[in-house]
Amino acid sequence: MMWVYEETLPYGDKLTDVINQTNENVKYLPGIKLGKNVVADPDIANAVKDANMLVFVTPHQFMEGICKRLEGKIKEEGVQAISLIKGMEVKKEGPCMISSLISEKLGVNCCVLMGANIANEIAVDKFSEATVGYREDKEVAERWVKLFGTPYFQVSAVQDVEGVELCGTLKNVVAIGAGLVDGLDMGNNTKAAIMRIGLREMKAFSKLMFPSVKDSTFFESCGIADVITTCLGGRNRRVSEAFARNGGKRSFDELEAELLQGQKLQGVSTAREVYDVLSHRGWQELFLFTTVHKICIGLLPPSAIVEYSEHTPNFSLVEGSAEYY
């Protein structure tokens, strides 16, 4: 059962009807046949009523509303959840990871799945990897590994929900920076520098938020591999490149609507959320993340991606403090 937000296609048919008739999501993944056992349902309550394993794959900005609609609709016992969602909710009381939002609102254990796996490549059986992050129950994590794993989709599990989820979230901000570099024709050396600095800031931000985050997580598929693939081929990179080629004169919202045809960017909203956290907590050291946000909202030109200063004192990521290397 697959809950699908109902849309009317240009020729008048409902998206869920077309998916069920053709086994194909003609709007968001055209040309790829889904399994015949996949049933699209526009009624979210009906879609989840008998489920004991829930997989969440939606833009993160819609998740709080979705969780409210699901309250009291899922089975009371034996339900496990996993989130493939990149992003976080930032409220007055502080940031909330999407896996935590699901757990708190629905009363279920929630793992996460992140990694270097762009959808249209997986859809044609090209080899890729992914990382399941779990909190305590390794047996549940192994169930997810078994469920998702195929000969061409290799899945591993690590006990670090926050680290895995933040990698999947923050890499989209780095990809915005990489796209700006592409749009300005700055070349591969510059792009590699942005990716390296971005990974470093991902690690610093993650450990400042959650000191329990493991260094080793950044060398899993969810970490460095996802940074690489997203900066080379993801939608955030693509739209950001167009933004830079237009000199920042066309907004990300406008370019998103034109280039993605209904799909959503995550990097721009995540950059804003990260900036809100940095500002609230007084963390001044993450220059790349700050610069990306200011470019996105028009306070700086795209060329500022390589004009910021990194003159910062050393600080250590040991025992809860921070350190750049």
Side-chain angles (χ1 to χ4, degrees), residues 164-184:
V164 173
E165 190 167 8
L166 277 167
C167 279
T169 296
L170 299 172
K171 60 84 186 275
N172 285 325
V173 182
V174 184
I176 295 287
L180 295 170
V181 167
D182 286 344
L184 295 169

Side-chain angles (χ1 to χ4, degrees), residues 1-4 6 16 40-49 69 73:
M1 297 299 295
M2 177 174 68
W3 173 65
V4 175
E6 188 66 283
T16 53
D41 191 334
D43 183 337
I44 193 169
N46 188 62
V48 304
K49 66 179 182 180
R69 294 172 65 183
K73 302 295 193 300

Side-chain angles (χ1 to χ4, degrees), residues 1-248:
M1 297 299 295
M2 177 174 68
W3 173 65
V4 175
Y5 178 77
E6 188 66 283
E7 300 179 58
T8 301
L9 299 172
Y11 42 86
D13 289 344
K14 300 293 187 183
L15 178 59
T16 53
D17 290 340
V18 174
I19 291 174
N20 290 331
Q21 290 164 7
T22 66
N23 294 116
E24 181 180 338
N25 189 330
V26 293
K27 180 169 184 180
Y28 296 111
L29 200 61
I32 301 297
K33 290 298 180 181
L34 305 174
K36 292 184 178 180
N37 60 324
V38 175
V39 178
D41 191 334
D43 183 337
I44 193 169
N46 188 62
V48 304
K49 66 179 182 180
D50 296 321
N52 58 8
M53 300 183 85
L54 299 173
V55 182
F56 289 87
V57 197
T58 67
H60 76 278
Q61 54 265 42
F62 303 139
M63 271 308 299
E64 187 161 14
I66 288 171
C67 284
K68 287 180 180 178
R69 294 172 65 183
L70 286 174
E71 288 179 8
K73 302 295 193 300
I74 64 174
K75 294 167 65 174
E76 293 185 1
E77 295 182 1
V79 176
Q80 295 289 334
I82 194 166
S83 171
L84 282 63
I85 299 168
K86 286 79 176 172
M88 56 186 172
E89 292 274 330
V90 177
K91 303 178 181 179
K92 291 181 179 179
E93 57 270 27
C96 174
M97 303 311 299
I98 298 300
S99 63
S100 297
L101 177 71
I102 293 169
S103 292
E104 291 168 8
K105 295 291 185 181
L106 303 180
V108 298
N109 176 54
C110 187
C111 296
V112 296
L113 178 78
M114 308 284 163
N117 37 63
I118 294 174
N120 58 358
E121 296 180 10
I122 300 172
V124 292
D125 297 0
K126 292 184 178 180
F127 179 82
S128 60
E129 299 177 313
T131 309
V132 169
Y134 68 97
R135 201 171 301 284
E136 294 176 358
D137 195 330
K138 186 175 182 179
E139 183 178 345
V140 170
E142 292 298 336
R143 286 173 63 193
W144 289 116
V145 168
K146 184 177 181 181
L147 181 67
F148 282 103
T150 72
Y152 62 87
F153 192 67
Q154 298 291 300
V155 186
S156 59
V158 298
Q159 191 174 8
D160 186 4
V161 168
E162 288 83 7
V164 173
E165 190 167 8
L166 277 167
C167 279
T169 296
L170 299 172
K171 60 84 186 275
N172 285 325
V173 182
V174 184
I176 295 287
L180 295 170
V181 167
D182 286 344
L184 295 169
D185 295 318
M186 290 181 171
N188 291 331
N189 293 344
T190 307
K191 190 170 181 177
I194 293 298
M195 292 162 70
R196 182 195 68 81
I197 295 165
L199 184 64
R200 188 180 66 184
E201 292 198 2
M202 286 168 56
K203 179 180 175 184
F205 183 86
S206 298
K207 289 213 163 195
L208 285 164
M209 279 189 62
F210 300 100
S212 63
V213 166
K214 299 175 180 178
D215 289 351
S216 58
T217 298
F218 296 89
F219 294 94
E220 298 288 344
S221 179
C222 63
I224 186 170
D226 202 3
V227 171
I228 292 169
T229 196
T230 309
C231 288
L232 294 180
R235 69 183 72 156
N236 290 275
R237 189 220 62 80
R238 178 186 174 197
V239 176
S240 180
E241 178 184 7
F243 179 83
R245 291 199 185 281
N246 284 278

